[in-house]
């Protein structure tokens, strides 16, 4: 990172901090509360403590990603899940004026703030293989609850203004994040191989279709960092990327960054076992799991190549290099399926 980038980052963080301070002014009960940044990746997240033992999570959304009505749609889904399902989610809090979302403008840039209830727990440990495999059975069950609720409320959710996660917005001509071709470590030979895999993915998704039993409102980012383990419970946080996508994409996001680990097949089997307690998967759906996992992997290559934060610096070019064997195996297995 160059010096100019460092200066820009300081300015960005300063704006986030100002937005956080201004956001707390919307809550009379939090005027004396402490506010500490605990994460900065896409958004800035703060731990708020009111001095009386109550904790909250304040999210300052990154500029130019969501419109206010899109964040309000996320909030409507969270409230619906809380009221109509047993899933434990972090709930949005109304400010003194009754609104959930507030806009804060600095230098012609708008930052939206939202306050959420605090959930106890810790992220799963990817290095604890046995526990993780067991936890994925519970995660599969929870994910199926999400999808069952989505199907039951299908017509209601169709009016929501949220992004769509499909081939075009993930790997195609209109990527929401960035082009995987511009990821770290790309060479002409690697791009050619990955293009072949991408073409296969596209054809298989077209054949799979978007029936409402396969495609609807999903969390879209169930990676380990967005799960909280508390005893035998798994709680789900960070619905910032929720949108319309294939249900099996939620499985793919849950193995984000660990798709190359030797225990992947066991994680998938455990997830499917838990999922099937609520919703049965057809053989055609099970056969599509590798396609969704590789699509997500290529999407993450684009994310790493277009972001500069602690996670992307840690993964770097090596994440692309570790993808080669996965891509080659996928192409060898499915290259005759789309001819």
């Amino acid at each position: 990172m160059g010096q100019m980038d460092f200066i820009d980052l300081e300015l960005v963080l300063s704006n986030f901090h100002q937005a956080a301070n201004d956001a707390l002014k919307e809550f009379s009960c939090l005027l004396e509360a402490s506010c500490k940044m605990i994460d900065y990746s896409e958004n800035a997240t703060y731990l708020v403590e009111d001095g009386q033992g109550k904790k909250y999570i304040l999210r300052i959304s990154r500029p130019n990603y969501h419109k206010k009505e899109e964040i309000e749609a996320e909030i409507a889904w969270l409230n619906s899940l809380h009221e109509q399902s047993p899933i434990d989610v972090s709930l949005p809090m109304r400010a003194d004026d009754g609104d959930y979302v507030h806009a804060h403008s600095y230098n012609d840039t708008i930052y939206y703030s939202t306050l959420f209830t605090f959930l106890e727990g810790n992220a799963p440990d990817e290095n604890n293989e046995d526990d993780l495999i067991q936890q994925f059975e519970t995660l599969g069950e929870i994910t199926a609850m999400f999808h069952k609720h989505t199907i039951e409320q299908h017509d209601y959710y169709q009016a929501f203004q949220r992004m769509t996660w499909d081939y075009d917005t993930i790997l195609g001509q209109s990527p929401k994040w960035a082009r995987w071709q511009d990821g770290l470590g790309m060479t002409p030979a690697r791009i050619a191989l990955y293009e072949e895999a991408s073409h296969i993915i596209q054809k298989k998704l077209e054949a799979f279709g978007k029936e409402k039993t396969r495609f609807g409102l999903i969390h879209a980012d169930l990676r380990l960092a967005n799960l909280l383990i508390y005893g035998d419970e798994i709680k789900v946080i960070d619905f910032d990327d929720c949108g319309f996508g294939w249900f099996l994409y939620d499985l793919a996001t849950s193995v984000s960054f660990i798709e190359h680990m030797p225990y992947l097949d066991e994680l998938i089997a455990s997830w499917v076992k838990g999922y099937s307690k609520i919703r049965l998967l057809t053989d055609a759906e099970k056969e599509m799991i590798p396609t969704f996992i590789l699509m997500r992997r290529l999407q993450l290559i684009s994310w790493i190549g277009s972001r500069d934060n602690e996670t992307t610096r840690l993964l770097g070019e090596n994440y692309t290099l570790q993808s080669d064997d996965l891509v080659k195996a996928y192409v060898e297995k499915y290259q005759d399926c789309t001819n």
Side-chain angles (χ1 to χ4, degrees), residues 56-335:
Y56 304 88
I57 293 295
L58 176 64
R59 184 184 72 193
I60 308 299
S61 298
R62 58 195 178 280
N64 305 315
Y65 192 63
H66 291 308
K67 298 177 182 178
K68 183 179 181 182
E69 54 265 32
E70 293 172 330
I71 300 175
E72 290 171 338
E74 171 198 353
I75 288 170
W77 192 33
L78 283 168
N79 285 331
S80 177
L81 287 168
H82 173 67
E83 294 166 1
Q84 302 179 38
S85 80
I87 303 170
D88 198 354
V89 297
S90 183
L91 294 175
M93 305 291 293
R94 292 187 186 273
D96 293 351
D97 62 4
D99 287 342
Y100 289 112
V101 184
H102 293 86
H104 313 278
S105 182
Y106 315 104
N107 301 318
D108 298 322
T109 301
I110 296 177
Y111 295 77
Y112 290 111
S113 64
T114 315
L115 188 72
F116 297 91
T117 55
F118 179 85
L119 296 180
E120 296 285 354
N122 297 295
D125 181 1
E126 69 178 70
N127 296 311
N128 191 329
E129 178 180 336
D130 292 338
D131 281 356
L132 194 60
I133 292 170
Q134 183 177 358
Q135 289 158 358
F136 258 63
E137 182 175 343
T138 303
L139 177 59
E141 191 170 354
I142 291 172
T143 308
M145 292 178 189
F146 276 130
H147 300 164
K148 182 175 182 292
H149 180 76
T150 289
I151 294 170
E152 292 171 349
Q153 302 293 325
H154 178 268
D155 293 341
Y156 169 58
Y157 290 143
Q158 290 307 297
F160 278 24
Q161 293 191 43
R162 292 298 300 184
M163 68 186 76
T164 295
W165 295 111
D166 59 12
Y167 178 83
D168 190 50
T169 59
I170 294 175
L171 302 184
Q173 297 301 309
S174 305
K176 182 66 176 177
W177 290 348
R179 289 168 16 105
W180 63 260
Q181 293 91 336
D182 298 325
L184 302 179
M186 283 297 165
T187 64
R190 183 168 284 121
I191 289 176
L193 173 64
Y194 286 26
E195 285 279 13
E196 186 174 0
S198 181
H199 176 71
I200 295 171
I201 291 171
Q202 181 181 18
K203 293 299 182 182
K204 290 180 71 65
L205 289 175
E206 289 173 353
F208 189 61
K210 295 181 177 180
E211 297 176 10
K212 75 174 187 178
T213 56
R214 295 178 173 181
F215 192 98
L217 189 59
I218 60 173
H219 183 282
D221 195 17
L222 288 171
R223 58 195 174 99
L224 301 187
N226 291 332
L227 306 175
L228 296 175
I229 306 298
Y230 189 72
D232 294 330
E233 297 180 70
I234 294 182
K235 306 173 184 182
V236 180
I237 60 174
D238 194 358
F239 285 67
D240 183 53
D241 281 331
C242 72
F244 298 98
W246 286 283
F247 295 146
L248 285 175
Y249 180 68
D250 268 342
L251 166 57
T253 66
S254 70
V255 296
S256 295
F257 307 121
I258 56 174
E259 307 93 337
H260 58 284
M261 299 296 279
Y263 54 72
L264 177 68
D265 288 344
E266 292 176 90
L267 289 183
I268 294 172
S270 184
W271 187 95
V272 169
K273 179 180 178 182
Y275 192 93
S276 299
K277 295 177 184 178
I278 307 297
R279 292 190 71 237
L280 292 178
L281 291 173
T282 65
D283 289 341
E285 288 170 322
K286 293 176 183 177
E287 194 276 332
M288 285 292 292
I289 288 175
T291 293
F292 285 103
I293 289 177
L294 188 61
M295 179 172 68
R296 173 65 171 184
R297 179 91 183 191
L298 296 182
Q299 182 190 30
L300 291 174
I301 289 174
S302 77
W303 183 74
I304 293 169
S306 61
R307 304 297 198 272
D308 184 13
N309 57 52
E310 183 178 350
T311 301
T312 59
R313 287 192 294 270
L314 179 64
L315 293 166
E317 181 179 326
N318 195 48
Y319 186 77
T320 302
L321 303 183
Q322 291 174 329
S323 303
D324 283 356
D325 288 344
L326 299 178
V327 177
K328 290 175 183 176
Y330 181 85
V331 170
E332 290 174 0
K333 183 174 182 178
Y334 295 111
Q335 60 185 348

